[in-house]
Amino acid sequence: MCSISFISLFFFSLLSFTMGLIFIMNDFTIFIEWEVVSMNSLMIVMTILLDWMSLIFMSFVLMISSLVIYYSKEYMESDYKINRFIMLVLMFVTSMMLLIISPNLISILLGWDGLGLVSYCLVIYFQNIKSYNAGMLTALSNRIGDVALLLAIAWMLNYGSWNYIFYLDVMQSDSEMLIVGMLVMLAAMTKSAQIPFSSWLPAAMAAPTPVSALVHSSTLVTAGVYLLIRFNIVLSTSWMGNLLLLLSGLTMFMAGLGANYEFDLKKIIALSTLSQLGLMMSILSMGYYKLAFFHLLTHALFKALLFMCAGAIIHNMNNNQDIRLMGSLSLMMPLTSSCFNVANLALCGMPFLAGFYSKDLILEMVSFSYINLFSFFLYFFSTGLTVCYSFRLVYYSMTGDSNFSSLNMLNDEGWVMLKSMMGLLILSIVGGSMLSWLIFPTPEVIILPLNLKLLTLFVCIIGGLMGYLISNVSLFFMNKALSNYNFSYFLGSMWFMPYISTYGIINYPLILGKMSIKSFDQGWSEYFGGQQLYYNLVKNSQLNQMLQNNNLKIYLLSFIFWIVILYMYMICF
Amino acid sequence: MLKIIFMVLFLFPLCFIKNSYWMVQSFLFFISFIFILMNMYSNYFMSISYMFGSDMISYGLILLSLWIVSLMLMASESVFKYNNYVNLFLFNIILLLLMLVLTFSSMSLFMFYLFFESSLIPTLFLILGWGYQPERLQAGVYLLFYTLLVSLPMLIGIFYLYKVTNTMNFYLLNNYMFNYEILYFSLVMAFLVKMPMFLVHLWLPKAHVEAPVSGSMILAGIMLKLGGYGLLRVFPFLQLLGLKFNFIWISISLVGGVLVSLTCLCQTDLKALIAYSSVAHMGIVLAGLMTMTYMGMCGSYTLMIAHGLCSSGLFCLANISYERLGSRSLLINKGLLNFMPSMALWWFLLSSANMAAPPTLNLLGEISLINSIVSWSWLTMLMLSLLSFFSAAYTLYLYAYSQHGKLFSGVYSFSGGKIREYLLLFLHWFPLNLLILKGDMCMLWL
Amino acid sequence: MFNNSSKIMFLTILMMGSLIAISANSWMGAWMGLEINLLAFIPLMSDNKLMSTEASLKYFLTQALASSVFLFAVILFLLNTGKNNANLMEMIILSSLLLKSGSAPFHFWFPNVMEGLSWINALILMTWQKIAPLMLISYVIFKPLIIISIILSSFIGALGGLNQTSLRKLMAYSSINHLGWMLAAMYNSNIWLMYFLFYTFLTFSMVLMFNMFKISYINQLFSLFFHEKSIKFFLFFNLLSLGGLPPFLGFLPKMFVIQSLTMNNQLFLLTFMVMMTLITLYFYIRLCYSAFMLNYYENSWMTFSYYKSSNMKLLLTFSYISTFGLFLTSSLYFFF
């Protein structure tokens, strides 16, 4: 099952990449339409749009998913129901495909809802309480986006069809399109876990690692960014771009801060994903959608590699995910840790690896454009924080002494896992440059003063040093984080958003539900419905019975009254 | 049309032969297949004979009732196995089917009313005769009296119509337009209680929970749709009054739908949860129908068919668990993924249909309904978003609680799912997901 | 019934009296028929072990009062040829006839008398004794009083039956309710007779069942045991039919009355009557619980050898007609 799907997905990935290259060269677009229902002037169609953006994205997704499936052949080999797992992953890939190739709000809903549901199934794959809670949080946060998309469909009814591709210039001015844009932005924010919907992404790490590698690094969370890339005109010509810039900048910042306080390996990687998502969204909100797309693709490559290495490490550490118990892995697992290092450096933006091309270009465009001090600060500080936590992670896991138990079996001999990691390694080294030569045939014009040009490099080096030095503490060191416990707790727990999203809002629906049952269904509805009517009838029937039993007395009494009245009548007249 | 009616009528003698349970069910499938071949894809009444004919909406609903009744027999195999008055059960079900087919295929309003009322009697017998708990007495009384209380004024309204227009035929009545408020309320209230609307929905949880699986299936599948069908037939000549008064029903249904979705989150009884979710779905259907827009009426019909199949399938699933574990409580029916993984697939598919995930017919219906309701007033966006969100919430609650987690430790062993049960669920799910490809059959009948 | 020759004589005189009252040319003849009816019924009532003496006394007193008021009003009516206050005469005649037939507000004797009779006598009281008064009422329809009587009859018949456990009293209240419908049917002249025929048929099958199994109280219905549960199931369709539920036979007369009242624009009265019928349906269904719940424990030591009796065949035939009668009679209308 694994091998078949791996080979077919790999083949399709190569096919779509080739087609994407052809389409880029010739500036070609194919549009295939199938009409489902057409009534009055409205057409619900199922559309497939094949242009270079969707084909290249598709090829990347298929490549990563084929490598992940190959990887999970070994990772999940002790699972009974591995076929079910592969089926779920394939369904996920199908939904992602459907989302990528549709220029139509209704066919996007097909992929969007599918993504939400299948990712829910994948997150609750292991059956424990943490997975259950995480799955519910994931599904319901995504559901908010689904509802927003449904309402956007309702508003887009004004235009007669839902192919938003055709309405790009209407989007700049019309007020209904503004509402559609707002709703679509809400949907994208929930899917890509921006503030205030960020709490599901670290929680979703309860899923198996291949799922995290596929879903939470490259595909599900980038669906929101992709949707906004398609809708980018709305962002650049209205106030929504500014709002999105603020929120995604804050997300970037918060995630970077949080990753510095976190000790769970997968959560650190999740928060780093969140930070990069914030970066993508913020550069998108400034109008540079091609840069966002570029960063999306390169980020997918090295993040998937990072998750895969993390999976290999977790397997070797006897399913332990805490980095405080890891150390000196570079001695024991050389190949894995070299892949890990390459991925980390690509994340930080080491020159000429994959991440450098996209990140550096983004930061230079940010410096080059018209931006305020706060956003500028957020961008560069978050970049520094990225390097900071990456180096902290390297310190804890790779260098240093081993903190694991002495009876261990750290080895590098998961050959299947290694092969998939090797594939992604090559791609993450050459992928950045390859893509930049493809997507940007002419280089962007950037003219910057020397300070700003070197600012990136400077921030990275400072960040790296800080990361390494902060973690390099001895046993009797006064931990600054511990002495300011409240503040570091605030920063480390993602600014309390998980608590707000779960404990904060769960009370109100449940109380309202109880009120609805007790006061409506068993209260007033019964009062005006069945029970009170019955009670009234029974009371009146008892009254009737009383009259019936005493009818003779009533008759005689009324007779006497009648005689009395007659008598009085006769007296008066 | 008479050929279908006579086919059903002649199933009656078959019910009384010993051991003929599966033969009756096979014949019912046969009848439904023949009915599929009768093309009735237009707005006008076709296949007219004597006083029965059918147009597009009748066709879909008769097909749905034939389909669900055959599936009912497949689901109630325990009646046959434990020999629980099998012949009387078959008689009851065929009588109910006959009444439903006659209701949907009658071309005159009075005949519609007559068979509408008559279909209550076999349902009452099903609940009282084959239900499990002593509460079924009150459930039967609630079912009968809630419906009768408002449908007797409808009878008077029908006779008033006859007095004014001297015809009962749907075509001829559509040429009139009435402006008489009491007529409007008397005609519409009966269908609102049947739908059910929020404040008068109290009979539904009781009746659905106390009925045996066949009773729940037919109640959720078809009987609720009788209300919608009646409204679709009655509104053409009440449009003026509809414009005046429909906002009441839309508001009550939408707000009520949200409140009922919230009560779903607090339930521990499997069947009660599915019953309340029916009320929420029918709330959206009612709201969309009451906007009297083209998309709204088409969408309400689509969602009626989709909901019939989906809810009926969920009740089958609840019964499958009930037969094994002996209880309907969610606290006992949990962790079923560990023992019946293939059944969990069906739970997931039907639950995803319940929350209108693509590519089911529910999605098409909900899209049309949301479109029409939002185009009626944008303020309804709040209620609709809450309704969709909470429908996902309680459906996921149902799915996750019943499938994931640890199995209840008090069970001994049970079968992992028989072929009959899988076939039953497949036959529920298959039309639901395939009909969206022929969406214009459900959407374009007006 | 026929084990006593004097009963045959009294029965014949009873029928003759009603026939005299119906086919009379003048009011005096009608009064004579009513008196003969009354006198012949009294000895019929008094011979079983129930408290029939009290019943016969009550019946005699009330009916005698009614007859004397009737005579008084008839004489006044015949004296007053100028018809100045014909309304007053009509009202008095109508009141006395209403008292004779037992409709509200003059119904107070009816349940008490029914309690003390055997089932066959109760049947005669409910059905045959109503023919003559109703026929005479249809000659003097004084709208105000009739409408009061219709409303009160439906109301009292429905409400009174809710609180009863004795089957006789329950059938009495149901009879009062149906009497209200029959009075309402007099808007168009001949429908009440059809309603009356259907009502007689249904009541007859009910009383036949109660008489055959000798049940007088509701809790005795629960211990009614048949070897085949379905027989009990089908027998109780009669009760539902009496409640006027479609698709049973009892719906047909109600449908005709509803149509005639709608044609005469009496919509409010109609709504009220129909609501009260719903209440009577409730207490009929309460009786049927034991038949429709198929899975409850029953006493199986009371066995009846009823299969071969011709009464059972008659009962089953009547149940069949009352279940499927609607379609049978409508096909009759269709073919003729």
Side-chain angles (χ1 to χ4, degrees), chain B residues 237-292:
Chain B
F237 54 87
L238 289 177
Q239 284 171 26
L240 284 180
L241 287 163
L243 283 175
K244 202 164 160 190
F245 286 120
N246 275 350
F247 71 94
I248 307 176
W249 316 125
I250 298 181
S251 322
I252 296 182
S253 331
L254 281 178
V255 173
V258 175
L259 284 176
V260 160
S261 311
L262 289 176
T263 68
C264 269
L265 283 175
C266 302
Q267 297 291 340
T268 53
D269 187 342
L270 267 182
K271 279 174 114 169
L273 215 154
I274 306 173
Y276 276 111
S277 95
S278 284
V279 179
H281 282 292
M282 283 294 131
I284 308 183
V285 169
L286 193 59
L289 214 157
M290 290 286 176
T291 58
M292 294 199 299

Side-chain angles (χ1 to χ4, degrees), chain B residues 143-200:
Chain B
L143 167 73
L144 196 64
F145 283 92
Y146 257 82
T147 313
L148 277 181
L149 183 72
V150 279
S151 67
L152 286 173
M154 186 169 93
L155 180 63
I156 301 176
I158 291 177
F159 277 110
Y160 175 77
L161 275 180
Y162 183 65
K163 176 178 107 114
V164 171
T165 63
N166 238 344
T167 171
M168 285 265 102
N169 198 347
F170 284 124
Y171 277 140
L172 301 172
L173 277 178
N174 287 353
N175 293 331
Y176 290 89
M177 192 61 68
F178 289 97
N179 221 343
Y180 190 19
E181 281 89 356
I182 300 187
L183 178 70
Y184 170 77
F185 277 108
S186 66
L187 283 180
V188 156
M189 279 303 291
F191 300 122
L192 287 178
V193 166
K194 197 81 178 157
M195 270 303 264
M197 197 177 68
F198 170 58
L199 292 172
V200 290

Side-chain angles (χ1 to χ4, degrees), chain B residues 76-129:
Chain B
S76 312
E77 192 229 5
S78 63
V79 168
F80 177 59
K81 195 160 73 166
Y82 299 119
N83 205 8
N84 194 4
Y85 301 100
V86 185
N87 294 332
L88 204 57
F89 181 72
L90 282 173
F91 176 72
N92 224 349
I93 290 191
I94 304 289
L95 185 65
L96 180 58
L97 176 64
L98 184 66
M99 291 302 158
L100 285 171
V101 168
L102 285 171
T103 314
F104 288 125
S105 61
S106 52
M107 291 201 317
S108 90
L109 193 55
F110 176 68
M111 295 306 265
F112 167 73
Y113 172 79
L114 187 70
F115 295 120
F116 175 79
E117 291 298 308
S118 325
S119 63
L120 276 178
I121 308 283
T123 318
L124 180 71
F125 291 157
L126 264 183
I127 296 182
L128 284 182

Side-chain angles (χ1 to χ4, degrees), chain A residues 39 110 120 154-155 521 526 531, chain B residues 142 201 276 358 371 381 443:
Chain A
M39 66 166 104
L110 193 68
Y120 170 72
W155 274 100
D521 270 6
E526 290 279 3
Q531 298 296 326
Chain B
Y142 260 69
H201 69 285
Y276 276 111
N371 283 346
M381 263 167 72
M443 290 282 272

Side-chain angles (χ1 to χ4, degrees), chain C residues 199-257:
Chain C
Y199 163 70
T200 311
F201 175 74
L202 292 170
T203 317
F204 177 61
S205 37
M206 288 314 304
V207 167
L208 191 59
M209 186 168 83
F210 293 147
N211 189 30
M212 192 162 34
F213 300 109
K214 302 200 182 4
I215 39 185
S216 326
Y217 292 95
I218 297 188
N219 51 3
Q220 285 173 325
L221 281 174
F222 274 84
S223 52
L224 201 56
F225 175 69
F226 293 84
H227 285 290
E228 291 278 334
K229 270 263 178 71
S230 29
I231 299 187
K232 192 168 173 185
F233 197 79
F234 282 111
L235 280 183
F236 277 80
F237 280 165
N238 273 327
L239 214 47
L240 286 182
S241 178
L242 196 57
L245 208 52
F248 300 115
L249 185 62
F251 179 63
L252 189 68
K254 289 217 159 65
M255 185 177 83
F256 281 125
V257 174

Side-chain angles (χ1 to χ4, degrees), chain A residues 34 36-39 109-110 113 117 120-121 124 127 132 139-140 143 147 154-155 512 516-517 521 526 530-531, chain B residues 138 142 201-202 259 262-263 276 294 337-338 348 355 358 371 381 385 389 392 396 400 404-405 436 439 443-444:
Chain A
W34 183 60
V36 175
V37 167
S38 148
M39 66 166 104
L109 199 65
L110 193 68
D113 271 339
L117 282 180
Y120 170 72
C121 276
I124 59 174
Q127 304 195 33
Y132 178 74
L140 289 179
R143 187 68 190 173
V147 168
W155 274 100
L512 205 57
S516 174
I517 293 183
D521 270 6
E526 290 279 3
Q531 298 296 326
Chain B
Q138 200 194 25
Y142 260 69
H201 69 285
L202 295 175
L259 284 176
L262 289 176
T263 68
Y276 276 111
Y294 188 85
L337 184 62
N338 297 314
F348 181 68
M355 57 174 153
N371 283 346
M381 263 167 72
S385 55
F389 180 71
L396 282 176
H404 287 268
I436 198 173
M443 290 282 272
L444 297 176

